[in-house]
Amino acid sequence: MPNSPERPRRITLVRNGPVLVEGPVEVTGDDGEVWVSDRFTVALCTCRRSRRYPWCDTSHRRPTGQTHTGESRSATRTQRHDGGDDR
Amino acid sequence: MTTVTDPPLPRPRGPLSAAVIARLRTERGRLPPDGAIRRADPYGADLQTALYVLYELHYRGFEGVDDGLEWEAELLAVRRPLEERFLAALRADAPQTGLRDTLAALLAEPVADTGTDVSRYLDHHGGLDQLREYAALRSLYHLKEADPHAWALPRLRGRAKAGLAAIEFDEFGAGRAEDIHAQLFADLMTDLGLETGYGHYVDLAPSEALATVNLMSLLGLHRRLRGALVGHFATVEITSPPAARRLTEAMRRTRAGPAAERFYAEHVVADAVHEQVVRREVIGGLLHDEPGLEPEVAFGIHATAQVEDRLARHLLGAWQAGRGALREALPPAV
Ligand code: FES
Ligand SMILES: [Fe+2]
Ligand SMILES: [Fe+2]
């Protein structure tokens, strides 16, 4: 994917979902961890629920407050949107 | 140097498939009359086997069958009423829900295990025997993963084409043969002690499994069904990550092997990207170009859900009763 000042890297924000970034990417964490992906686009988790963090694993979709995986969340989903919204 | 061998012709499962298979083998003999096709069960083993065999001529063909039969007029003429029967049943059984609500429902993970989800069953209860059966019947698709959707490419333009091509590039290994998803699935099968030959398990597959594969071929081979093909692709990508996460767990718990885990682990992350691109770019782009196709995209989603639900009922019914889900027991791991 050619990136240059004339053709900057495209980043797409998904409401209530990940940030999509054109790959390849190198992601660094607070503790110096490094994750690399050469996928054409990557989805970076913003909800912090992903079990494959920093990559999105669609856990942002999951209704909150559920119990079947033993996780529970304080917030309760009351409404589902559509279009650009992911939950 | 290994040479790729063509798959063997499947065994017939009734008069329609017997006539089609005999014709392919001998290039002689009467093909089924329209009346017999109109009376056949559209989801039944006989019609689904006949369709499966005819569709495979467009993918890899069969050992001992002339490649030229792919475009043989009489075979195409018999394929049409077979697929119209299947398509009419799918249309009649599809709910009339619009695309927005249909997509929203796909994105909602059921909170509780309702006992109708194969990946949840395998995650919680699946042993190696069930995982092997599941892989064997899914191999009819996964060994040609993403192939039927490639037929959409010449029928799309702009954002829809670019988005689909990007996803397909990923499915086809992003330039590396060892990373082609069909190859990752073959590696999973090796971990599970299964044969990796294309179409090897067709005779063991229940009709419900054949219908899932025939649906994609039907949608892929007809340009007029391009909207539904996009809906099919979207369904696969959107529903994949949570199911793949559970199947990764099942493979890990049963110590199926690193390649078996990798196939599903890769799909968790890959399809979390693919589903975004398919909704935004492929569906968004297609409906920008051809807004009239919106009901067809919804139909593609409904049809996919239908054939998958039928397969899920078959699998869970067998496994919960302590039976195997294939037509014959699998040979022990090789
Ligand atoms: S944004 Fe998708 S899992 Fe966090
Ligand atoms: Fe894939
Ligand atoms: Fe995918």
Side-chain angles (χ1 to χ4, degrees), chain A residues 10 12-15 17-18 20 38-43 51-52 55-63 65-69 77 80-86, chain B residues 100-101 104-113 120 166-167 169-170 176 237-239 241-242 245-246 265-266 268-270 272-277 279-280:
Chain A
R10 181 174 294 164
T12 306
L13 308 176
V14 180
R15 195 179 348 139
L20 307 179
D38 57 7
R39 204 179 301 287
F40 68 97
T41 292
V42 299
R51 296 177 211 194
R52 300 290 297 277
W55 317 122
C56 167
D57 72 351
T58 71
S59 292
H60 61 267
R61 276 183 203 169
R62 198 169 301 152
Q66 66 170 58
T67 55
H68 81 272
T69 57
R77 183 177 74 161
R80 187 185 304 128
H81 312 269
D82 43 30
D85 197 328
D86 265 52
Chain B
R100 285 163 71 99
D101 290 344
L106 271 189
L107 285 165
E109 263 281 87
V111 174
D113 185 353
R120 286 181 197 241
I167 298 170
F169 180 64
D170 220 14
R176 291 182 201 159
E237 299 292 357
I238 292 171
T239 56
R245 179 177 57 72
R246 293 189 275 263
E266 166 64 12
V268 174
V269 172
V273 175
H274 296 175
E275 72 101 0
Q276 294 287 347
V277 178
R279 283 188 291 136
R280 281 156 200 288

Side-chain angles (χ1 to χ4, degrees), chain A:
Chain A
M1 195 66 62
N3 288 284
S4 63
E6 300 74 41
R7 191 192 178 289
R9 188 177 301 276
R10 181 174 294 164
I11 295 179
T12 306
L13 308 176
V14 180
R15 195 179 348 139
N16 290 327
V19 170
L20 307 179
V21 184
E22 287 180 336
V25 297
E26 181 182 286
V27 182
T28 56
D30 279 348
D31 307 331
E33 309 115 292
V34 177
W35 298 272
V36 173
S37 173
D38 57 7
R39 204 179 301 287
F40 68 97
T41 292
V42 299
L44 292 177
C45 174
T46 61
C47 75
R48 292 274 175 169
R49 285 187 222 162
S50 175
R51 296 177 211 194
R52 300 290 297 277
Y53 195 83
W55 317 122
C56 167
D57 72 351
T58 71
S59 292
H60 61 267
R61 276 183 203 169
R62 198 169 301 152
T64 50
Q66 66 170 58
T67 55
H68 81 272
T69 57
E71 294 167 301
S72 67
R73 306 281 167 192
S74 51
T76 303
R77 183 177 74 161
T78 53
Q79 208 187 343
R80 187 185 304 128
H81 312 269
D82 43 30
D85 197 328
D86 265 52
R87 61 185 168 98

Side-chain angles (χ1 to χ4, degrees), chain B residues 141 145-146 167-168 170-171 181 233 236-238 240 266-267 270-275:
Chain B
Y141 170 57
E145 191 174 315
I167 298 170
E168 290 281 81
D170 220 14
E171 302 285 354
H181 286 188
F233 195 51
V236 171
E237 299 292 357
I238 292 171
S240 164
E266 166 64 12
H267 277 86
D271 290 344
V273 175
H274 296 175
E275 72 101 0

